[in-house]
Amino acid sequence: MIQVGDHLPQATFRVIGSEGPIARTTDDVFKGRRVVLIGVPGAFTPSCHRNHLPGFVTHKDEILGRGVDAIAVTSVNDVFVLDAWSKASGAEGLEFLADGNADFAKAIGLEMDGTGFGLGMRSKRYSMLVEDGVVRILNVEETPSKAEASGAEALLKVL
């Protein structure tokens, strides 16, 4: 599992651009920037939709006011689902990074096997602060249905 002080591995996400889906690498997202990255098991799932993401939407300005350049959300969903989730959540100004095949989640060792629930491979729930590609803060939830250690309020206490 990735640790504080580690560099993020190279991976490619998908995002919605003006002409449709486009690729963005970890360098595109994190190089030369201070980014809060939120990992969630799935868009629209109860804990992600009602408990985890809303805190970052609510506290967006406060987080950005602490020298953070961007707040990004990644999930093992396709780019179209993440685009719909961003709109349905009122998450304007947050970056949504589709990790459709769980490549990034696996590369950082934060994948979760949800096959017993019919979900396939997913990402564990976490939040991290990444500075120029290096993990500076990492909060991983022990229980996938909770959003306490990885929530916006917890992250604000250590930013």
Side-chain angles (χ1 to χ4, degrees), residues 49-133:
H49 189 64
R50 289 188 223 139
N51 301 333
H52 202 192
L53 181 61
F56 288 93
V57 173
T58 299
H59 295 290
K60 176 183 82 170
D61 292 337
E62 189 176 353
I63 292 167
L64 295 176
R66 296 200 183 176
V68 172
D69 297 308
I71 301 170
V73 182
T74 186
S75 180
V76 181
N77 291 106
D78 67 65
V79 67
F80 302 106
V81 169
L82 283 189
D83 186 51
W85 190 37
S86 74
K87 292 172 182 167
S89 300
E92 186 175 317
L94 274 64
E95 299 176 21
F96 283 73
L97 308 170
D99 184 24
N101 296 322
D103 294 334
F104 180 73
K106 291 174 189 173
I108 63 171
L110 289 172
E111 75 276 11
M112 176 186 79
D113 185 353
T115 55
F117 301 101
L119 300 173
M121 291 305 292
R122 296 291 176 136
S123 172
K124 289 184 179 180
R125 184 180 312 285
Y126 62 87
S127 63
M128 65 172 72
L129 175 66
V130 180
E131 293 179 349
D132 196 23

Side-chain angles (χ1 to χ4, degrees), residues 10-81:
Q10 286 301 312
T12 301
F13 303 102
R14 299 283 182 252
V15 300
I16 289 290
S18 60
E19 301 294 319
I22 57 173
R24 289 191 71 205
T25 66
T26 47
D27 280 349
D28 295 334
V29 177
F30 300 103
K31 190 171 184 176
R33 299 172 79 202
R34 194 167 188 240
V35 179
V36 166
L37 178 64
I38 309 148
V40 299
F44 293 110
T45 59
S47 294
C48 302
H49 189 64
R50 289 188 223 139
N51 301 333
H52 202 192
L53 181 61
F56 288 93
V57 173
T58 299
H59 295 290
K60 176 183 82 170
D61 292 337
E62 189 176 353
I63 292 167
L64 295 176
R66 296 200 183 176
V68 172
D69 297 308
I71 301 170
V73 182
T74 186
S75 180
V76 181
N77 291 106
D78 67 65
V79 67
F80 302 106
V81 169

